[in-house]
Amino acid sequence: MRCTHCQKCCRDTMMELSETDMVRLERRGYKRQDFSYIGVDNIPRLRNEGTWCFFYDPERKRCREYASRPLGCALYPVNVDQDGDVFVDGLCPQAGSVTDQEMRLKGKRLVMLLATIDAEAERRKR
Ligand code: SF4
Ligand code: SF4
């Protein structure tokens, strides 16, 4: 797909984060308590500042950490529903440009990512 940087997915984000995502962003000089929060489900998610994701620069209209962005952001608009079925989120204006092969490959990576995030959430409970 060709992301047009339309900004939609950087607004009111609830993107889940893995430990790997958070460590990568910490290495870029950010503190995890600034860019994320842990919900009642023990899953870390990107924090918003106002309506925008912490990492979004409204003036330049782009992600400040695009190269280091969370894996979930890189895989979007491919998503997984509650039954574990992979789908393309129609909220993305470029959803129609996602090829079947891209959906399969990104879907596999996303299923693995969500399993990792869930396992990390379980460990946080202990
Ligand atoms: S909604 Fe789609 S086109 Fe817009 S920034 Fe996100 S991935 Fe790119
Ligand atoms: S990390 Fe970057 S790509 Fe992901 S939601 Fe935030 S601003 Fe958008």
Side-chain angles (χ1 to χ4, degrees), residues 1-4 75-78 92-95 97-99 102 106:
M1 75 165 288
R2 283 181 72 88
C3 174
T4 55
L75 299 176
Y76 186 84
V78 174
C92 168
Q94 294 299 310
S97 71
V98 177
T99 64
E102 188 179 0
K106 285 187 168 179

Side-chain angles (χ1 to χ4, degrees), residues 1-10 66 73 76-77 89 91-95:
M1 75 165 288
R2 283 181 72 88
C3 174
T4 55
H5 303 279
C6 74
Q7 317 163 15
K8 279 196 178 172
C9 60
C10 304
Y66 192 73
C73 296
Y76 186 84
D89 190 346
L91 288 176
C92 168
Q94 294 299 310

Side-chain angles (χ1 to χ4, degrees), residues 55-125:
F55 290 109
Y56 189 76
D57 181 344
E59 277 178 22
R60 295 175 62 216
K61 298 191 172 169
R62 57 180 303 165
C63 176
R64 287 189 185 91
E65 290 299 328
Y66 192 73
S68 303
R69 68 198 187 285
L71 181 54
C73 296
L75 299 176
Y76 186 84
V78 174
N79 211 333
V80 174
D81 68 18
Q82 288 190 335
D83 297 325
D85 293 327
V86 176
F87 69 101
V88 178
D89 190 346
L91 288 176
C92 168
Q94 294 299 310
S97 71
V98 177
T99 64
D100 289 349
Q101 188 192 20
E102 188 179 0
M103 184 163 151
R104 261 196 315 278
L105 292 175
K106 285 187 168 179
K108 257 188 209 169
R109 292 182 71 193
L110 187 55
V111 167
M112 285 168 58
L113 172 67
L114 295 178
T116 299
I117 290 173
D118 284 347
E120 289 170 351
E122 276 303 311
R123 281 201 289 278
R124 253 177 226 110
K125 283 184 196 162

